[in-house]
């Protein structure tokens, strides 16, 4: 039997794994080498937008057409990697009408379904859009998970006989007789079944053909082969917000600009991005102002972003390319199209083609074209099937989950849940949707908490023991409240609070013996979170708790007797503690007709520096007294043991009589 041509693909991003799948499905003998893990490069550091093509409908129509075509294909073959959120191009009052019309027309010219929405209609879809937006265009944008997509392609390639080597860096391109004949790889440390050689071991892998799919690194592989591949790496920042502030991809409808898109992704939103050329795809500045710019500019579209919490930011590098001599100055103007550079035609070096440019959305089309090219070289007559055959896991998610494990890309959370739940994992984890993480330290999701509550009732300590939630590093600092939330709305507030207190007490029991060093800081943080932020030290529910009030006095006084009291509104001018007295403070109070010095027992109960300017109520005709050697000429009225200072609610001026 005739031996299949062997092809070595360099690069384990979306492009490389897509190529490996396509060629393997056509019966070629494929080896893929990747220096890190799969998605180590730009694929693992992108925005997650499944382009409808709308973003390029005015500036780069060939790219826009490719995007909408592949958008439809990916929805078909990779439903498990795609969430069809829909997208909006939102126009603000200051954005040009002319551009809005061009965008609409461009979408229609490129075959991108586009519908104009009024501001009200857009806000019905996205209620947090700014109130003053003008209108929007609705397009079929979506969110795509690059990790799952890459793994699914690699898994399919393996199913069709490909060999995959992760943690194998190409350190030389073998050129013999003026032709590329393979590569030298140096194996690195890594885990999983796709790491083969020993760390540091050098291996020569010979192949009939080499495909350079290293994206922003393609120039470096070119250098090893002695040819110029002029990629123009361009970095972009992305900032992840704490929740999903929008459910739809929100784009700003204006000509190119930084910070013009928000992509909802799983439980978060990703803001992006910038476009700045860099020399080295692995060494470039990551600056705070870039993040500030994202938040400031995008809060013009969604104002709540200005106050939302940012979880983290990351940067990626686009593998942009333009033919030599084009010389575009601004990287935002460089085309997003992709290019096949056949080094035989271009550099008189047969045996290798580089593929550069493009986007994740068009990875499959890129793979198809280069696979056609390779097959043509070897006279292989095999049709591309990747647009029709679903990727592994698109019908049964558990298939993909196992592959994610194999490639070391599975979330540790999924793995921990599966360990705890064993054969019940699927049943339990699928019982709640969405299924956010409740306890980060121990990787416990809502589904597991709910499952434990079935037997625990309101006993959160039982939930703790069953799931390990709150037993990790932070000892419940972050997750105790979330665990208690899971009891609502089934149980009333009082019951939930009592369960939460029991859980706290149990956590505190062990922690109090370790109050030094960093654990002390951790406990201080926990106190701040719970007492200062969540009000646990001044629990509003405690206000209803049973208090032993003093009985109302039996002896009544006459109205005349009451009128003998001269009670006045005052304003504190100054407040300072009295030296040597734990509780006493000296107040200077303006009572309209004069300033009074009054001693009050509030030193430990109030922040004296903040009292100046406060309206108070005093008894002005009380006998003078001397306390700690300081004369007190009147009495400040305050309620209860905590000395809650009485004040006025209207605009009664100092000196006004209280009657
Ligand atoms: C900020 C930003 C946002 C983006 N957002 C989107 C988006 O929302 N939607 C979209 O469709 N596209 C987006 N893109 C573009 C998209 O991410 C990329 O076009 C795509 O991921 C490139 O994939 P790739 O496989 O070609 O390159 P990569 O993913 O970079 O893969 C190349 C691989 O080659 C490996 N490699 C390099 N040198 C060697 C070596 N010597 N030996 C072995 N392996 C090597 C690298 O480790 C890397 O894993 C974005 C890009 C950026 C930068």
């Amino acid at each position: 039997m005739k031996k299949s041509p062997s092809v070595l693909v360099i690069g384990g991003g979306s492009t490389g794994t897509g190529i490996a799948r396509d060629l393997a499905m056509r019966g070629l003998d494929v080896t893929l080498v990747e220096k890190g893990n799969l998605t180590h490069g730009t694929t693992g550091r992108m925005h997650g937008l499944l382009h409808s093509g709308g973003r390029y409908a005015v500036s780069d129509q060939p790219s826009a057409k490719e995007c909408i075509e592949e958008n439809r294909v990916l929805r078909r073959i990779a439903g498990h990697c795609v969430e069809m959120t829909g997208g909006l191009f939102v126009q603000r009052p200051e954005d040009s009408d002319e551009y809005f019309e061009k965008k609409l027309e461009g979408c229609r010219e490129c075959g991108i379904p586009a519908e104009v929405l009024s501001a009200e209609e857009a806000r019905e879809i996205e209620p947090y859009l700014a109130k003053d937006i003008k209108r929007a265009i609705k397009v079929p944008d979506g969110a795509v998970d690059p990790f799952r997509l890459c793994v699914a392609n690699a898994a399919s390639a393996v199913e069709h006989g490909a060999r995959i080597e992760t943690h194998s860096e190409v350190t030389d391109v073998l050129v013999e007789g003026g032709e590329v004949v393979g590569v030298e790889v140096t194996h690195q440390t890594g885990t999983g079944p796709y790491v083969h050689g020993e760390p540091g071991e050098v291996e020569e892998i010979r192949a009939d053909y080499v495909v350079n799919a290293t994206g922003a690194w393609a120039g470096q592989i070119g250098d090893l082969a002695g040819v110029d591949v002029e990629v123009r790496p361009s970095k972009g920042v992305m900032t992840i917000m704490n929740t999903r502030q929008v459910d739809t991809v929100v784009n700003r409808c204006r000509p190119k600009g930084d910070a013009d898109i928000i992509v909802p992704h799983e439980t978060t939103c990703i803001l992006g991005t910038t476009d700045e050329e860099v020399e080295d795809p692995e060494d470039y500045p990551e600056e705070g102002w870039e993040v500030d710019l994202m938040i400031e500019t995008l809060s013009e579209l969604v104002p709540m972003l200005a106050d939302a919490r940012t979880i983290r930011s990351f940067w990626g590098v686009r593998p942009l390319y333009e033919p030599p001599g084009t010389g575009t100055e601004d990287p935002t103007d460089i085309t997003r199209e992709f290019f096949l550079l056949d080094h035989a035609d271009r550099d008189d070096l047969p045996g290798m083609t580089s593929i550069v440019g493009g986007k994740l959305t068009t990875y499959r089309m890129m793979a198809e074209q280069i696979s056609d090219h390779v097959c043509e070289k070897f006279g292989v007559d095999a049709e591309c099937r990747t647009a029709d055959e679903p990727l592994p896991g698109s019908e049964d998610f558990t298939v993909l989950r196992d592959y994610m494990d194999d490639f070391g890309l599975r979330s540790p959370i999924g793995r921990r849940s599966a360990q705890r739940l064993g054969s019940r994992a699927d049943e339990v984890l699928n019982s709640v949707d969405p299924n956010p993480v409740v306890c980060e330290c121990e990787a416990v999701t809502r589904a597991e908490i709910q499952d434990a509550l079935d037997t625990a009732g309101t006993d959160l300590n039982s939930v703790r023991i069953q799931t390990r939630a709150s037993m990790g590093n932070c000892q419940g600092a972050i997750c105790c409240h979330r665990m208690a939330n899971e009891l609502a709305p089934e149980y009333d507030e009082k019951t939930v609070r009592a369960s939460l207190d029991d859980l706290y007490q149990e956590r505190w029991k062990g922690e109090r013996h370790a109050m030094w060093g960093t654990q002390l800081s951790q406990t201080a943080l926990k106190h701040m979170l719970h007492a200062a932020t969540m009000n646990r030290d001044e629990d509003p529910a405690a206000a209803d708790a049973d208090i032993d009030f003093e009985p109302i006095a039996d002896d009544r006084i006459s109205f005349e007797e009451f009128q003998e009291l001269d009670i006045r509104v005052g304003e504190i001018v100054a407040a300072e503690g009295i030296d040597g007295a734990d509780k006493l403070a000296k107040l200077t109070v303006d009572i309209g007709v004069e300033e009074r010095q009054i001693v009050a027992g509030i030193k430990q109960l109030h922040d004296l520096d903040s009292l100046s300017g406060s309206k108070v109520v005093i008894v002005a005709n009380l006998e003078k007294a001397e306390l700690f050697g300081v004369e007190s000429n009147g009495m400040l009225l305050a309620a209860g043991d905590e000395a809650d200072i009485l004040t006025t609610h209207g605009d009664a001026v100092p000196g006004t009589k209280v009657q």
Side-chain angles (χ1 to χ4, degrees), residues 10-16 33-37 39-51 144 168-171 213-217 220-221 224 234-238 273-274 316-319 357-362 366:
I10 316 173
S14 52
T15 312
V33 290
E34 160 57 51
K35 71 173 173 177
N37 217 335
T39 73
H40 174 81
T42 309
T43 301
R45 311 183 70 78
M46 49 85 75
H47 209 153
L49 171 68
L50 179 69
H51 285 272
V144 58
S168 304
E169 180 170 5
V170 170
T171 39
T214 51
W217 290 261
Q220 296 177 4
I221 298 294
L224 295 176
S234 153
K235 75 162 176 172
V237 64
M238 285 146 290
T273 178
T274 45
V317 177
R318 296 176 191 84
K359 286 164 293 301
L360 180 125
T361 304
T362 54
M366 295 165 72

Side-chain angles (χ1 to χ4, degrees), residues 427-444:
E427 176 202 326
V428 173
L429 298 177
N430 291 335
S431 64
V432 173
D433 184 21
N435 186 21
V437 176
V438 173
C439 164
E440 279 89 355
C441 302
E442 291 297 309
V444 185

Side-chain angles (χ1 to χ4, degrees), residues 14-234:
S14 52
T15 312
T17 53
I19 296 168
R21 176 185 196 222
D22 194 331
L23 288 172
M25 283 171 82
R26 298 192 208 202
L28 277 77
D29 172 12
V30 179
T31 299
L32 180 147
V33 290
E34 160 57 51
K35 71 173 173 177
N37 217 335
L38 294 184
T39 73
H40 174 81
T42 309
T43 301
R45 311 183 70 78
M46 49 85 75
H47 209 153
L49 171 68
L50 179 69
H51 285 272
S52 62
R55 285 178 73 76
Y56 306 118
V58 178
S59 59
D60 190 353
Q61 291 205 342
S63 290
K65 288 178 188 159
E66 288 168 4
C67 283
I68 186 63
E69 199 179 324
E70 288 303 301
N71 172 302
R72 293 188 174 116
V73 172
L74 285 187
R75 282 192 250 165
R76 208 167 50 232
I77 64 160
H80 57 325
C81 306
V82 168
E83 183 192 352
M84 276 319 289
T85 58
L88 297 174
F89 280 87
V90 178
Q91 184 190 17
R92 286 194 42 81
E94 62 272 29
D95 298 338
S96 131
D97 283 338
E98 193 191 338
Y99 186 77
F100 188 91
E101 296 306 330
K102 272 192 187 165
K103 178 72 80 183
L104 188 62
E105 207 179 296
C107 284
R108 290 180 177 154
E109 282 165 6
C110 297
I112 302 164
E115 182 192 345
V116 177
L117 303 181
S118 67
E120 292 69 36
E121 287 167 330
R123 269 204 306 278
E124 250 169 53
I125 297 176
E126 279 308 331
Y128 294 123
L129 282 174
K131 294 223 165 28
D132 59 346
I133 62 159
K134 210 166 163 189
R135 55 188 168 161
I137 303 172
K138 189 174 161 203
V139 293
D141 280 338
V144 58
D145 185 312
F147 305 101
R148 281 187 225 151
L149 186 68
C150 229
V151 165
N153 273 285
S156 173
V158 170
E159 281 175 8
H160 289 89
R163 166 187 169 195
I164 298 218
E165 296 276 341
T166 62
H167 303 88
S168 304
E169 180 170 5
V170 170
T171 39
D172 202 3
V173 174
L174 306 176
V175 180
E176 287 174 9
E179 190 177 344
V180 174
V181 295
V183 297
E184 172 198 276
V185 299
T186 305
H187 293 284
Q188 320 277 354
T189 1
T191 54
Y194 294 95
V195 182
H196 293 114
E198 288 297 312
E201 184 187 327
V202 176
E203 183 188 356
E204 272 190 13
I205 305 179
R206 295 195 163 244
D208 297 320
Y209 207 74
V210 171
V211 175
N212 172 15
T214 51
W217 290 261
Q220 296 177 4
I221 298 294
D223 289 347
L224 295 176
V227 294
D228 277 341
V229 179
E230 306 85 353
V231 270
R232 294 187 53 183
S234 153

